[in-house]
Amino acid sequence: MTTLEHRLTRLVRDVPDFPKKGIVFKDITPLLADAAALREATKAMAMPYWESSIDHVVGIESRGFILGAIVARALDVGFIPVRKPGKLPAKVMSLEYALEYGSDTLEVHADACMSEARVLIVDDVLATGGTAGAAGELMERLGARVVGFSFLLQLSALKGRERLAERRVESVLTL
């Protein structure tokens, strides 16, 4: 583990039984509260894509908004929010996707980007890969080209990287 990884990992706390019993939630709010750590983490998230000619960063609700906006600024590109249903004011494109226990829906403005735009999808944690995969599919339905995914933290035991196997996936931390 590098010095950066060690420093950032110490700022991610485990919250047992959240949001339900048996789940250990990885809370990144201590990392977000540390200006130097936040700057270094988002720089590390952007760095693998500096030479990738990205047009937009796509952030997945909600912590993906925080990290994605900073990564977009680092790459000097625009930011596109992908949200839960009913949160965007203009015409949207929606995608319902399966979760382990049920389903969920993501939405993006139908005019969020031009066809063939090169996008980077950002979120805080890669767990099972369901939400990230759905965000990628949603952007492709808009006509965008998903260049890759960038995560602050990857939970390797949940095998999300395998679900995104055909995609470029980068993460700063792997636990």
Side-chain angles (χ1 to χ4, degrees):
M1 185 179 293
T2 69
T3 304
L4 175 63
E5 290 169 331
H6 181 68
R7 223 169 50 253
L8 296 179
T9 298
R10 290 185 325 179
L11 293 169
V12 176
R13 70 176 155 208
D14 288 346
V15 180
D17 299 323
F18 184 83
K20 62 182 185 178
K21 189 164 180 61
I23 293 178
V24 178
F25 183 79
K26 298 296 185 184
D27 180 15
I28 67 164
T29 56
L31 187 151
L32 296 175
D34 183 310
L38 179 59
R39 181 177 50 255
E40 291 178 64
T42 52
K43 181 179 176 182
M45 291 175 74
M47 188 172 34
Y49 295 97
W50 277 342
E51 302 296 325
S52 298
S53 300
I54 303 296
D55 295 310
H56 300 281
V57 168
V58 175
I60 302 171
E61 187 169 344
S62 66
R63 289 173 302 274
F65 290 179
I66 298 165
L67 299 170
I70 300 169
V71 170
R73 178 64 187 105
L75 294 173
D76 198 25
V77 300
F79 176 79
I80 297 171
V82 169
R83 304 220 48 194
K84 302 293 182 180
K87 305 287 186 179
L88 294 170
K91 182 180 177 185
V92 297
M93 179 175 285
S94 299
L95 177 69
E96 185 174 347
Y97 62 101
L99 296 169
E100 283 184 77
Y101 304 104
S103 65
D104 209 343
T105 302
L106 292 176
E107 293 184 343
V108 66
H109 277 136
D111 62 355
C113 63
M114 303 296 288
S115 183
E116 298 298 316
R118 296 170 55 82
V119 300
L120 169 63
I121 297 177
V122 169
D123 206 358
D124 63 329
V125 177
L126 172 59
T128 64
T131 302
E137 184 178 338
L138 182 59
M139 294 309 298
E140 288 172 339
R141 287 185 181 184
L142 278 183
R145 178 170 176 228
V146 177
V147 174
F149 293 81
S150 188
F151 300 95
L152 173 61
L153 173 62
Q154 176 185 173
L155 302 176
S156 58
L158 298 180
K159 302 185 186 323
R161 186 178 281 268
E162 291 176 15
R163 190 169 191 166
L164 302 174
E166 301 299 314
R167 311 264 194 182
R168 180 176 178 190
V169 176
E170 303 286 344
S171 61
V172 179
L173 305 172
T174 301
L175 300 177

